[in-house]
Amino acid sequence: MHTTFSQSRAISVLLRAFQLTGELEYRNCAIDSLAIYDIPNSEGGVKALQNGNVMYEEYTADFNVMVLDGAFFSIYGLLDLQRVLPENELVKKLIKQGVEGLIVLLPEYDLGYWIRYSLTDSPDYPLDDPATRGYFYLILAQFKVFHHLTGRTEFEDYFNKFSEYDSVRNVLKMYKTKYRVLKKLDRV
């Protein structure tokens, strides 16, 4: 099983090793780690496609999972590689696809009162699965970081929109829905 969550971290670690030692093996290994990002998940890679939009999978399955925090985490390593090797065309392409796909798909994560956990297209998984409260705050932090790293105002806009959902009423609604989802999945 491939995961961009760990792949992204590995890229960052390899880049640090390259920067500390100057050994090209580390840099080359980081570059080689990009290949899995460009392979669709249907072919064993980590690139999920939804209506032509790319999202990198935190973890893969036989269907799109599209966990929101994983999409953010998957791009951090790419941004790190671009910082060290700004001329690398593949990393530029992967970042562009990942950021654009994320922005286009963000409205689908809006439950109208909370953030959806994922956009999984598994037929057995409930479509209205809300993120937990801790995950909610993690996503808000990622919006702020991505606004800073990319300059894209859409991330700031979603930070502001989703921040307004943080109320006692919405938290209670989230927990009620989460319980129903977990019960349906036979996890409680």
Side-chain angles (χ1 to χ4, degrees), residues 6-172:
S6 58
Q7 196 80 357
S8 178
R9 287 181 179 204
I11 289 169
S12 292
V13 169
L14 290 164
L15 289 171
R16 297 302 181 285
F18 165 66
Q19 291 174 301
L20 287 170
T21 67
E23 292 186 32
L24 293 177
E25 281 181 64
Y26 295 119
R27 184 199 71 175
N28 294 341
C29 192
I31 293 168
D32 291 345
S33 297
L34 296 176
I36 199 72
Y37 280 86
D38 213 20
I39 300 170
N41 57 356
S42 61
E43 298 172 22
V46 296
K47 182 167 70 172
L49 294 169
Q50 180 145 325
N51 301 323
N53 299 296
V54 170
M55 182 171 277
Y56 303 120
E57 294 279 31
E58 178 178 343
Y59 50 89
T60 58
D62 295 335
F63 47 85
N64 286 346
V65 180
M66 300 173 66
V67 175
L68 186 53
D69 78 307
F72 281 108
F73 281 122
S74 71
I75 298 171
Y76 286 128
L78 299 177
L79 292 167
D80 214 7
L81 186 57
Q82 185 178 45
R83 179 187 55 78
V84 176
L85 301 171
E87 74 287 349
N88 186 292
E89 292 301 319
L90 178 57
V91 79
K92 286 180 193 177
K93 178 185 104 170
L94 296 173
I95 291 169
K96 183 176 177 14
Q97 286 179 348
V99 169
E100 291 297 326
L102 187 53
I103 288 170
V104 169
L105 292 170
L106 281 175
E108 295 185 43
Y109 287 91
D110 188 352
L111 291 171
Y113 70 97
W114 206 255
I115 299 172
R116 183 184 317 270
Y117 173 69
S118 73
L119 296 180
T120 185
D121 58 12
S122 168
D124 300 326
Y125 203 89
L127 295 175
D128 62 344
D129 183 19
T132 62
R133 197 159 187 206
Y135 177 87
F136 178 87
Y137 294 125
L138 172 64
I139 294 297
L140 290 180
Q142 288 179 317
F143 282 133
K144 289 187 96 162
V145 170
F146 262 64
H147 175 249
H148 174 74
L149 292 175
T150 67
R152 297 293 299 259
T153 58
E154 295 92 339
F155 294 117
E156 182 179 42
D157 294 343
Y158 272 92
F159 170 82
N160 292 330
K161 180 178 186 170
F162 287 145
S163 291
E164 291 179 13
Y165 290 168
D166 191 18
S167 70
V168 171
R169 180 181 179 158
N170 288 343
V171 169
L172 292 173

